[in-house]
Amino acid sequence: MSTTLKFTVLLLALGFCRGLLDNYIDEEETEAPDAQASKFGSLWPLPQKVQISEVSFKLTSSSFKIVDAKESSAGPSCSLLQDAYRRYYEYMFGSTKKLGLSKSRRTGPSELTELQVWITSPDSECDDYPSVTSDESYELSVDLPFAVLKAPKVWGALHGLETFSQLLYEDEYGAKSVNATTISDFPRFAHRGILLDSSRHFLPIKVILANLETMAMNKFNVFHWHIVDDQSFPYLSRTFPQLSQQGAYHPYTHVYTPADVKMVIEFARLRGIRVIPEFDTPGHTQSWGKGQKDLLTPCYSGSKPSGTFGPINPILNTTYDFMNQFFKEISTVFPDAYVHLGGDEVDFTCPIQTFSSSWNSTGFKQDYSKLESFYIQRLLDIVTTTNKGYMIWQEVFDNGVKLKPDTVVHVWIGGGSNEEMEKVTAAGYTTILSAPWYLDLISYAQDWQKYYKVEPLNFNGTEEQKKLVIGGEACLWGEYVDATNLTPRLWPRASAVAERLWSAKDVTDINDAFNRLSMHRCRMVERGIPAEPLFSSYCPREYKGI
Amino acid sequence: MSTTLKFTVLLLALGFCRGLLDNYIDEEETEAPDAQASKFGSLWPLPQKVQISEVSFKLTSSSFKIVDAKESSAGPSCSLLQDAYRRYYEYMFGSTKKLGLSKSRRTGPSELTELQVWITSPDSECDDYPSVTSDESYELSVDLPFAVLKAPKVWGALHGLETFSQLLYEDEYGAKSVNATTISDFPRFAHRGILLDSSRHFLPIKVILANLETMAMNKFNVFHWHIVDDQSFPYLSRTFPQLSQQGAYHPYTHVYTPADVKMVIEFARLRGIRVIPEFDTPGHTQSWGKGQKDLLTPCYSGSKPSGTFGPINPILNTTYDFMNQFFKEISTVFPDAYVHLGGDEVDFTCPIQTFSSSWNSTGFKQDYSKLESFYIQRLLDIVTTTNKGYMIWQEVFDNGVKLKPDTVVHVWIGGGSNEEMEKVTAAGYTTILSAPWYLDLISYAQDWQKYYKVEPLNFNGTEEQKKLVIGGEACLWGEYVDATNLTPRLWPRASAVAERLWSAKDVTDINDAFNRLSMHRCRMVERGIPAEPLFSSYCPREYKGI
């Protein structure tokens, strides 16, 4: 039926780097380096169930096709899948010279010529947006005469295509090969996100798209777009264009137009990725104040305005009129069911005009945190009227603001995050974890291991509480990253988080992870992504840029 | 005579980033951001003497020329300068659309149309290689009718061209402008190097050239090429081709051919940069052993060879025969007067065959460090016969090896490096400093400041001793960097070292440095180099890659 080769030998051919293993595990050196190759090859994140046999097939770029299965509920009109077929064909054969053989070339007896993609549910969701309840499961069977990828919805099919592409390797003659394999897969957590910050540094669209592309390679499904902050307001609002006109680093070159935003959302959708924008208030809003008069609280020096500003002004009705209009726009621009409202790190050092009648009328006097809660409460009510759910940073919960039952509380404060998870879930709220995954905090050596070793459910709580943890996000805050260094700094460090959020809880073998991740990173490099190295090693095809 | 504009306003136009200044100095916020602009604009490293007037001139790509002064000893046959003129013209006008005006266009009264480059010494050294004694000084006068750059040798002219290009800025209408300026400049230290490591990760030639280019923008003048190490041997030796055939990560795709090496050396020479190769022995040589039988010391397990190897085998005559031939080749391939011989971190954990007669004949028995000294001593004698000087890591000095008077001792061990500098110079040896400048050791936030604050002469010693410190090197060891992330990780962090080694001792104002360096980094970005940001900010033209 086929050529069989020892699986470990195949792995060596795929991109297994000698130097890398010689040096990684000093104290467990073995004579046979192949003993350290993962039996799961370069799969990342590791699927829930994998069976790889020693039977292998060849694939050629001239014969191999990805096609819709006859029974599939998604046909040629599903451009999401058609696009994905092209994309994965390119990933799999892009670096291979086309053989230019005629279509009538006889294929060998052990050649795999087709992957059939079969959407099994009547509604493929091809034209929908992904959501937190999307079915992302799939089953993959690689065998002759056809490989078959079955998934209830397109979302699972996208993940299955990535997995299929990860099963390919080059044998010792450079021929593309794949072993007979059976995979059954689904994510452990529904919310697997990356936060990028386009305020501290503007991120050109090209950079955002490249990272969405890479997110899909790692089965991430949420792009948390921290789009504005103190430093700049690059979001071009149709309702309030002066916000970016005045608040962006540059009103033309450093903004996201409505067309840009639309493109990002569609590019993400085609890869099964949700785009959740964050418009963080009432703190982190210095840039908002530049284009919107009276939006920020004026700070006082004695009885006079000092010329500087604090958070969003919670005592003016105009504030809520503005927020009402603004979030109405946001609710139509961003299709996702959720919007992130921030609410973190409100700076209370701005001395306010405590003796004015308007302040006294609020009844809060100097209790700033109550004032913040007052603001947030009204904001949440406003956003609720737009039919959106909301995510908020943990402080909003900590301050006792009344939240809708479907609120997602985002735990980010390091030290005590387990206790926070316990509290949030005890109160019945859904939560996601970011505290251990602040990837902007770089350090020397292999910090991916630290991210990898996190267990999100490692807090005291009932089974019911644990079910409220729907996932997590790796955050790359923007103080020190822009187009020059963001991508290599994020990958493959974020890949460690990807596997933690996708794979089974017991997938914790750090050596196996190192081996698979090393190959996964070389695969990203080969696909044009400057993912940085884990340690001394090489990739068969090094990055072509500088 | 000319249009005059407030200099601070000009700086704002050049690429002065609002966000960056708003946030950098929290406690010294001022109302007028231009108060923080450096009066030295974007000059980096800061020249020794600078006088910038408020008189400004315009430059246009259609009229402006860089030409040899009539009196210059270097004419059109000096391709080093002709290449440099083209390079700097491109840097200065590359992003400007050519106006396509005829040559007879009348230039305005305040337009600067020519920079004359005048090599004043009878021997321009145009076709030479730079050396540690090269004269790198220059004088630059920007005024009408011509700007004049005077330098005794081409090396100073190259630096002066970079400085001239740094004086250009765009006025508020985007017009290229330069202020009337007088500069007199020379380096504080003669040896200003960058160490790159092409063994732990192979660095494609493209990456090396891009970094040489960037070194020139920072007035670095030594590329310390740590070309081979334990992990791989990418140097293709004509005499011993099996070294890379067996010892490189890949014998064809991950090697430096003789043509590659030649190209690197010439590319560097054209930018006034010396290439000093390091062939580190007797430790760090695992990769050498793969292609050269009996070169390494076999380790023993009891009375049997264990199959692993220690450092270069110091007791076999064949070792010295090999080194003799090898370094003869190196002395012809690399034109620099110095070669770096390493000698650091010799691993003594390999149990050797202590009872064999050959060991006993050396008289060293188990005294490994003496054995190392014995080896190094013989190696130094061999290299001396090739008419090269040598650099060595500090351990060789520490171990009491007898060194030639012109030896350069490279101080790298952190903690006690001041004491080491004191000892080395007290013994009368020339030294360079790297201990505080291990740029591979990354950490969160603005670590460039730490590198900037180093004072190399801050050790106890006489004036004579201090004169023996000829400079330093920023080292970017290769464990965690390759083509994907090397360039943004190196720049602009290495720029901090560049200014420390070039500028006057009293150039230590960290705020002024921040402002100049922010603009310098945006200039590098504009020239296509992905130099990472210092802090929240933007560049007028962001990096175009990902």
Side-chain angles (χ1 to χ4, degrees):
Chain A
M1 185 177 176
S2 72
T3 315
T4 61
L5 285 169
K6 286 292 290 177
F7 190 72
T8 48
V9 176
L10 299 176
L11 291 175
L12 282 164
L14 172 58
F16 189 89
C17 309
R18 182 203 51 232
L20 148 176
L21 287 179
D22 283 359
N23 294 290
Y24 177 57
I25 307 161
D26 279 338
E27 286 159 52
E28 301 179 52
E29 258 187 51
T30 72
E31 300 290 294
D34 57 62
Q36 297 180 348
S38 170
K39 64 177 177 172
F40 299 115
S42 66
L43 288 171
W44 194 278
L46 193 66
Q48 299 288 341
K49 286 179 202 160
V50 187
Q51 278 194 304
I52 304 179
S53 92
E54 291 189 0
V55 177
S56 81
F57 315 117
K58 297 268 176 291
L59 299 89
T60 65
S61 61
S62 56
S63 298
F64 186 75
K65 288 185 187 62
I66 307 175
V67 298
D68 299 311
K70 271 183 213 143
E71 310 88 332
S72 179
S73 64
S77 67
C78 176
S79 64
L80 179 147
L81 282 184
Q82 302 303 319
D83 279 13
Y85 299 167
R86 277 193 283 275
R87 187 162 69 247
Y88 280 99
Y89 180 90
E90 184 70 24
Y91 284 161
M92 293 188 283
F93 300 107
S95 59
T96 313
K97 282 210 178 68
K98 300 293 178 290
L99 295 170
L101 293 172
S102 72
K103 282 184 182 175
S104 59
R105 184 183 75 94
R106 235 161 93 187
T107 55
S110 68
E111 183 170 336
L112 184 70
T113 56
E114 212 166 279
L115 169 63
Q116 297 192 351
V117 179
W118 181 356
I119 307 300
T120 58
S121 154
D123 179 8
S124 71
E125 297 185 3
C126 179
D127 298 314
D128 294 359
Y129 289 97
S131 77
V132 70
T133 58
S134 290
D135 187 334
E136 298 182 278
S137 69
Y138 68 93
E139 297 195 343
L140 179 62
S141 153
V142 179
D143 209 335
L144 294 189
F146 304 123
V148 178
L149 169 59
K150 282 168 75 169
K153 309 287 181 186
V154 291
W155 318 118
L158 290 171
H159 294 314
L161 286 165
E162 175 61 38
T163 300
F164 181 81
S165 77
Q166 294 190 357
L167 290 171
L168 264 63
Y169 57 85
E170 292 179 13
D171 72 11
E172 67 255 67
Y173 303 106
K176 300 282 178 186
S177 308
V178 65
N179 280 32
T181 301
T182 312
I183 286 176
S184 173
D185 201 12
F186 55 87
R188 181 177 173 208
F189 293 103
H191 185 117
R192 305 178 308 280
I194 294 282
L195 177 150
L196 297 183
D197 166 3
S198 59
S199 172
R200 276 136 186 137
H201 287 97
F202 179 78
L203 302 176
I205 287 291
K206 189 177 172 180
V207 172
I208 293 178
L209 300 187
N211 281 280
L212 287 168
E213 192 82 71
T214 319
M215 284 172 66
M217 298 175 199
N218 290 273
K219 297 188 170 68
F220 276 108
N221 68 351
V222 176
F223 170 35
H224 175 162
W225 194 353
H226 188 87
I227 189 164
V228 301
D229 205 299
D230 282 332
Q231 287 77 3
S232 75
F233 196 103
Y235 173 76
L236 199 166
S237 161
R238 270 176 285 213
T239 321
F240 300 102
Q242 70 276 24
L243 288 170
S244 60
Q245 189 68 32
Q246 303 296 324
Y249 281 134
H250 189 283
Y252 301 122
T253 58
H254 288 65
V255 296
Y256 303 108
T257 67
D260 290 336
V261 172
K262 215 167 173 175
M263 179 165 46
V264 167
I265 292 168
E266 181 62 6
F267 192 93
R269 188 188 80 81
L270 291 174
R271 285 152 185 81
I273 298 170
R274 303 162 58 197
V275 177
I276 301 182
E278 176 179 355
F279 289 92
D280 190 356
T281 67
H284 292 278
T285 50
Q286 290 297 304
S287 69
W288 300 53
K290 293 182 177 160
Q292 187 66 18
K293 202 169 160 282
D294 296 335
L295 185 62
L296 302 185
T297 310
C299 305
Y300 274 72
S301 178
S303 62
K304 285 181 184 165
S306 67
T308 62
F309 295 90
I312 298 285
N313 194 333
I315 61 151
L316 299 180
N317 283 330
T318 51
T319 291
Y320 302 99
D321 295 341
F322 168 84
M323 290 297 168
N324 204 359
Q325 285 185 75
F326 184 78
F327 279 100
K328 204 154 273 165
E329 172 183 321
I330 297 309
S331 74
T332 61
V333 170
F334 292 91
D336 198 83
Y338 280 81
V339 59
H340 202 302
L341 298 177
D344 59 317
E345 297 183 314
V346 183
D347 181 5
F348 296 127
T349 59
C350 161
I352 53 177
Q353 194 187 15
T354 46
F355 302 108
S356 77
S357 56
S358 54
W359 279 104
N360 286 331
S361 71
T362 63
F364 293 115
K365 296 200 171 121
Q366 299 235 35
D367 192 337
Y368 294 111
S369 74
K370 273 194 188 160
L371 203 52
E372 185 200 346
S373 298
F374 169 78
Y375 164 81
I376 288 269
Q377 195 72 66
R378 287 193 63 175
L379 178 70
L380 297 187
D381 295 344
I382 285 169
V383 172
T384 301
T385 67
T386 69
N387 287 318
K388 292 285 184 190
Y390 41 76
M391 298 175 62
I392 40 91
W393 295 109
Q394 69 179 71
E395 287 99 315
V396 180
F397 166 81
D398 295 342
N399 290 341
V401 175
K402 198 183 153 208
L403 302 165
K404 281 197 296 179
D406 65 345
T407 301
V408 178
V409 179
H410 199 161
V411 174
W412 71 276
I413 298 177
S417 63
N418 279 339
E419 292 69 23
E420 183 76 6
M421 299 287 279
E422 188 183 340
K423 269 191 257 174
V424 171
T425 53
Y429 290 110
T430 303
T431 183
I432 61 168
L433 181 65
S434 278
W437 292 321
Y438 266 39
L439 272 57
D440 49 314
L441 304 175
I442 55 169
S443 58
Y444 184 67
Q446 300 197 40
D447 58 359
W448 70 272
Q449 299 191 359
K450 184 173 68 183
Y451 306 132
Y452 190 77
K453 287 174 181 164
V454 172
E455 170 44 54
L457 303 189
N458 202 13
F459 61 89
N460 293 323
T462 63
E463 277 310 298
E464 284 309 299
Q465 278 177 269
K466 309 253 164 146
K467 279 182 192 154
L468 291 167
V469 181
I470 58 167
E473 290 183 0
C475 300
L476 191 65
W477 296 100
E479 283 85 349
Y480 300 103
V481 290
D482 69 1
T484 62
N485 63 346
L486 183 145
T487 308
R489 194 168 282 194
L490 185 55
W491 309 103
R493 293 163 74 232
S495 303
V497 183
E499 177 148 303
R500 182 56 50 236
L501 293 173
W502 178 280
S503 304
K505 185 173 182 173
D506 62 359
V507 177
T508 54
D509 180 335
I510 200 87
N511 288 324
D512 189 72
F514 177 81
N515 292 321
R516 284 183 294 113
L517 187 54
S518 296
M519 289 192 273
H520 179 52
R521 114 70 198 182
C522 284
R523 178 168 47 230
M524 293 190 274
V525 167
E526 204 160 318
R527 291 177 182 183
I529 304 300
E532 68 182 20
L534 297 179
F535 194 55
S536 302
S537 66
Y538 74 106
C539 293
R541 294 177 189 90
E542 300 290 354
Y543 185 61
K544 301 275 186 229
I546 55 163
Chain B
M1 185 179 175
S2 73
T3 316
T4 63
L5 286 167
K6 288 290 291 175
F7 189 72
T8 49
V9 176
L10 299 176
L11 291 176
L12 283 164
L14 171 59
F16 189 88
C17 309
R18 184 203 51 233
L20 150 175
L21 287 179
D22 282 1
N23 294 290
Y24 178 58
I25 306 159
D26 280 337
E27 287 157 51
E28 300 178 54
E29 259 187 50
T30 72
E31 301 290 295
D34 57 62
Q36 297 180 346
S38 170
K39 64 177 176 170
F40 299 116
S42 65
L43 287 172
W44 194 278
L46 193 66
Q48 299 288 343
K49 286 180 204 160
V50 187
Q51 278 194 304
I52 305 179
S53 94
E54 292 188 359
V55 177
S56 81
F57 315 116
K58 298 268 175 289
L59 300 88
T60 65
S61 60
S62 56
S63 298
F64 186 77
K65 289 186 188 61
I66 308 175
V67 298
D68 299 311
K70 271 184 215 142
E71 310 89 334
S72 179
S73 65
S77 68
C78 177
S79 64
L80 179 147
L81 282 184
Q82 302 302 320
D83 279 12
Y85 299 166
R86 276 194 284 275
R87 187 163 70 248
Y88 279 99
Y89 180 90
E90 184 70 24
Y91 284 161
M92 293 188 282
F93 300 106
S95 59
T96 314
K97 283 207 179 68
K98 300 293 179 288
L99 294 171
L101 293 172
S102 73
K103 283 184 183 174
S104 59
R105 183 183 76 93
R106 234 162 92 189
T107 56
S110 68
E111 184 172 337
L112 185 70
T113 55
E114 212 166 281
L115 170 64
Q116 297 192 350
V117 179
W118 180 357
I119 307 300
T120 56
S121 153
D123 178 9
S124 69
E125 298 186 3
C126 180
D127 297 314
D128 293 359
Y129 288 96
S131 77
V132 71
T133 58
S134 290
D135 188 332
E136 299 182 278
S137 70
Y138 67 93
E139 296 195 343
L140 179 62
S141 152
V142 179
D143 209 336
L144 294 187
F146 305 122
V148 179
L149 168 59
K150 281 167 76 170
K153 309 287 181 184
V154 291
W155 319 117
L158 289 172
H159 294 315
L161 285 165
E162 174 62 38
T163 299
F164 180 81
S165 76
Q166 296 189 355
L167 290 171
L168 264 63
Y169 57 87
E170 292 179 13
D171 72 11
E172 67 255 67
Y173 304 105
K176 300 281 177 186
S177 307
V178 65
N179 282 31
T181 301
T182 312
I183 286 176
S184 171
D185 201 12
F186 54 87
R188 181 176 173 211
F189 293 104
H191 185 118
R192 305 178 307 282
I194 294 281
L195 177 150
L196 297 182
D197 166 3
S198 59
S199 172
R200 274 128 187 145
H201 287 97
F202 179 78
L203 302 175
I205 287 291
K206 188 177 173 180
V207 172
I208 293 177
L209 299 187
N211 281 281
L212 287 167
E213 192 81 70
T214 319
M215 284 172 65
M217 299 175 198
N218 289 274
K219 298 189 170 69
F220 276 107
N221 68 351
V222 175
F223 171 34
H224 175 162
W225 194 351
H226 188 87
I227 191 167
V228 301
D229 205 300
D230 282 333
Q231 287 78 3
S232 74
F233 196 102
Y235 173 76
L236 201 165
S237 162
R238 268 176 286 214
T239 321
F240 300 101
Q242 69 276 24
L243 288 171
S244 60
Q245 188 69 32
Q246 303 295 324
Y249 281 135
H250 188 284
Y252 301 122
T253 59
H254 287 64
V255 295
Y256 302 109
T257 66
D260 289 336
V261 172
K262 214 167 173 173
M263 178 166 47
V264 167
I265 292 167
E266 181 62 7
F267 193 94
R269 187 188 81 82
L270 291 174
R271 286 152 184 81
I273 298 170
R274 302 162 60 195
V275 177
I276 300 182
E278 177 180 354
F279 288 92
D280 190 358
T281 67
H284 292 279
T285 49
Q286 290 295 304
S287 69
W288 300 53
K290 292 180 177 159
Q292 187 65 19
K293 202 168 161 281
D294 297 333
L295 186 62
L296 302 184
T297 310
C299 305
Y300 274 71
S301 178
S303 62
K304 286 180 184 167
S306 68
T308 63
F309 295 90
I312 298 284
N313 195 332
I315 60 151
L316 298 181
N317 281 330
T318 52
T319 292
Y320 301 100
D321 294 343
F322 168 85
M323 291 297 169
N324 203 0
Q325 285 186 73
F326 184 78
F327 280 98
K328 204 154 273 168
E329 172 182 321
I330 297 310
S331 74
T332 61
V333 169
F334 292 90
D336 198 83
Y338 280 80
V339 58
H340 201 302
L341 299 177
D344 59 317
E345 296 185 314
V346 183
D347 180 5
F348 295 126
T349 59
C350 160
I352 52 176
Q353 195 187 12
T354 44
F355 301 107
S356 76
S357 56
S358 53
W359 279 104
N360 285 332
S361 71
T362 63
F364 293 116
K365 294 199 173 124
Q366 299 235 35
D367 192 337
Y368 294 112
S369 74
K370 272 196 188 157
L371 203 51
E372 184 199 346
S373 299
F374 169 78
Y375 164 80
I376 290 269
Q377 196 70 69
R378 288 194 62 173
L379 178 70
L380 298 187
D381 294 344
I382 286 169
V383 173
T384 301
T385 66
T386 69
N387 287 318
K388 292 284 184 190
Y390 43 75
M391 299 176 58
I392 39 92
W393 296 107
Q394 70 180 69
E395 287 100 315
V396 178
F397 167 80
D398 295 343
N399 290 341
V401 175
K402 198 184 154 210
L403 303 164
K404 279 198 296 180
D406 65 346
T407 301
V408 178
V409 179
H410 198 160
V411 174
W412 71 276
I413 298 177
S417 63
N418 278 340
E419 291 70 21
E420 182 76 6
M421 300 286 278
E422 189 182 341
K423 267 191 259 176
V424 171
T425 54
Y429 291 109
T430 301
T431 182
I432 62 168
L433 181 65
S434 278
W437 292 321
Y438 266 39
L439 272 58
D440 49 315
L441 304 175
I442 56 169
S443 57
Y444 185 67
Q446 301 197 40
D447 58 359
W448 71 271
Q449 299 190 0
K450 184 175 66 183
Y451 306 133
Y452 191 76
K453 287 173 182 166
V454 171
E455 171 43 55
L457 302 190
N458 202 13
F459 62 87
N460 293 324
T462 62
E463 278 310 299
E464 284 309 300
Q465 278 177 270
K466 310 251 164 146
K467 278 181 193 155
L468 290 168
V469 180
I470 57 167
E473 292 183 1
C475 300
L476 191 64
W477 294 99
E479 282 85 350
Y480 300 103
V481 290
D482 69 1
T484 63
N485 63 346
L486 183 146
T487 309
R489 194 167 282 193
L490 185 56
W491 308 104
R493 294 163 74 232
S495 302
V497 182
E499 177 148 303
R500 182 55 49 235
L501 292 174
W502 178 280
S503 304
K505 185 173 182 175
D506 62 359
V507 177
T508 54
D509 181 335
I510 200 87
N511 289 323
D512 189 72
F514 177 81
N515 292 322
R516 284 184 292 112
L517 187 53
S518 295
M519 289 192 273
H520 178 53
R521 117 66 199 183
C522 284
R523 177 169 46 231
M524 291 191 275
V525 167
E526 205 161 315
R527 292 178 182 182
I529 303 301
E532 69 181 20
L534 296 180
F535 195 55
S536 302
S537 67
Y538 74 106
C539 293
R541 295 178 188 91
E542 301 290 354
Y543 185 61
K544 302 277 186 227
I546 56 161

